[in-house]
Amino acid sequence: MKLRRITAASAVALTLVLTATACGGDDKDSASGSGGGDKIKVGIKYDQPGLGLKEPDGSFSGFDVDVATYVAKQLGYKPDQIEWVETKSADRETALARGDVKFIAATYSITDERKAKVDFAGPYLLAHQDLLVKKDSDISKGTDLNGKKLCSVTGSTSAQNVKNTIAPKAQLKQLPGYSECIAGLQAGSVDALTTDDSILAGFASQDKYKGQFKLAGLKLSNENYGIGVKKGDSATVDKINKALEKMVSDGSWEKAVKANFGPANYKNEPAPKIGQIVQ
């Protein structure tokens, strides 16, 4: 009788073990194959219309979002497996170093200084630094910024580029995001906003800002947008480069450019060659 009680208890225990194992197996299976149940964390901007924007309904739109979605698909992840992570300019290197994201597509210009900290795939877009000013502004060239209040975001290279090479007497004002800068421009607390023309075109084309601002039309620098990857992860860089080449060759790149920049009459450069940095 004692033996039978032990056997019965053992049977119950065995059943529990098998049940738990089966549940664990289901979880594991759901996370395997072509991304499976896994998620991929991708860094983007949340406040850049036409590039990386979090919409009121929680969805995301923009050229960087389209590029990142295409790349993630080539890496084996469906759109619903992408976890978008906001990565502001000042936080990008840290986010990659900590492993907070797998890669970053966030108007991330490739520079020698940044290449010392992260690796880059691409470039996938050639933009140019420009100025956004009020429609009636008399600022038409870089030197007009001397004595003026110039806004850009913390961690961006744009404002410092103007200060160092074009308008040494410009008064720099660095804010956390572009939304804050454009609000300052609208209110008159700053005279100009500087960053890449692609970003400025996105803001200028928003319904709430239409007719208020204009692009100065200056090409103050060449900005080669790359996809940032953790330093030393050459395997991921190679995979992303292949994905970008495919995106261009199958027409998806051009389609994304027209969809995101077309409404602002943004005149984009042709798709850059992988590894070809325009100085």
Side-chain angles (χ1 to χ4, degrees):
M1 189 67 178
K2 185 177 180 181
L3 179 60
R4 291 182 62 186
R5 283 199 298 269
I6 294 174
T7 302
S10 298
V12 171
L14 180 60
T15 300
L16 291 173
V17 171
L18 291 174
T19 301
T21 303
C23 291
D26 289 342
D27 290 342
K28 186 176 181 180
D29 289 344
S30 67
S32 63
S34 298
D38 290 340
K39 296 281 188 178
I40 183 171
K41 294 184 177 182
V42 179
I44 58 170
K45 295 289 183 66
Y46 276 21
D47 65 344
Q48 292 181 351
L51 285 149
L53 182 68
K54 185 175 183 179
E55 303 285 0
D57 64 0
S59 62
F60 298 90
S61 66
F63 182 69
D64 282 347
V65 174
D66 289 347
V67 170
T69 300
Y70 188 99
V71 168
K73 181 180 179 181
Q74 298 305 307
L75 296 180
Y77 296 89
K78 298 176 182 178
D80 62 2
Q81 292 176 287
I82 301 174
E83 182 178 335
W84 301 110
V85 178
E86 182 177 22
T87 49
K88 294 184 178 182
S89 295
D91 301 329
R92 291 177 295 202
E93 286 83 18
T94 302
L96 287 170
R98 287 194 310 227
D100 295 343
V101 293
K102 184 66 174 177
F103 65 83
I104 293 176
T107 59
Y108 206 177
S109 297
I110 302 172
T111 67
D112 289 338
E113 181 180 0
R114 289 170 177 165
K115 284 167 66 177
K117 301 176 183 178
V118 304
D119 286 338
F120 284 99
Y124 64 91
L125 184 73
L126 176 60
H128 303 285
Q129 185 181 347
D130 202 354
L131 302 175
L132 187 68
V133 297
K134 282 192 172 181
K135 192 174 182 179
D136 59 356
S137 173
D138 59 358
I139 297 174
S140 60
K141 56 185 182 295
T143 53
D144 290 338
L145 290 170
N146 281 310
K148 302 287 188 180
K149 295 176 182 178
L150 175 65
C151 190
S152 191
V153 302
T154 304
S156 172
T157 59
S158 300
Q160 203 59 51
N161 178 52
V162 171
K163 178 78 172 177
N164 291 342
T165 64
I166 300 169
K169 295 182 180 179
Q171 301 172 36
L172 297 187
K173 187 171 185 178
Q174 296 189 344
L175 297 176
Y178 294 105
S179 296
E180 291 89 341
C181 275
I182 200 166
L185 183 61
Q186 189 176 36
S189 60
V190 298
D191 300 301
L193 162 59
T194 185
T195 188
D196 306 343
D197 51 9
S198 55
I199 299 172
L200 298 175
F203 275 112
S205 65
Q206 283 189 295
D207 289 338
K208 62 182 177 180
Y209 295 134
K210 279 184 178 177
Q212 297 184 46
F213 308 113
K214 64 181 180 181
L215 286 167
L218 309 178
K219 292 186 177 181
L220 301 176
S221 69
N222 294 319
E223 305 297 333
N224 300 270
Y225 288 177
I227 293 182
V229 177
K230 187 174 183 178
K231 190 69 177 176
D233 189 359
S234 57
T236 298
V237 170
D238 291 342
K239 291 177 182 177
I240 293 177
N241 278 335
K242 290 177 182 177
L244 293 175
E245 289 174 343
K246 183 177 180 180
M247 187 177 186
V248 172
S249 65
D250 69 13
S252 297
W253 185 90
E254 187 66 31
K255 183 178 179 181
V257 168
K258 290 180 179 178
N260 292 291
F261 300 134
N265 295 318
Y266 173 69
K267 301 184 185 303
N268 65 282
E269 301 278 5
K273 300 293 184 182
I274 297 299
Q276 182 175 310
I277 306 301
V278 178
Q279 301 296 335

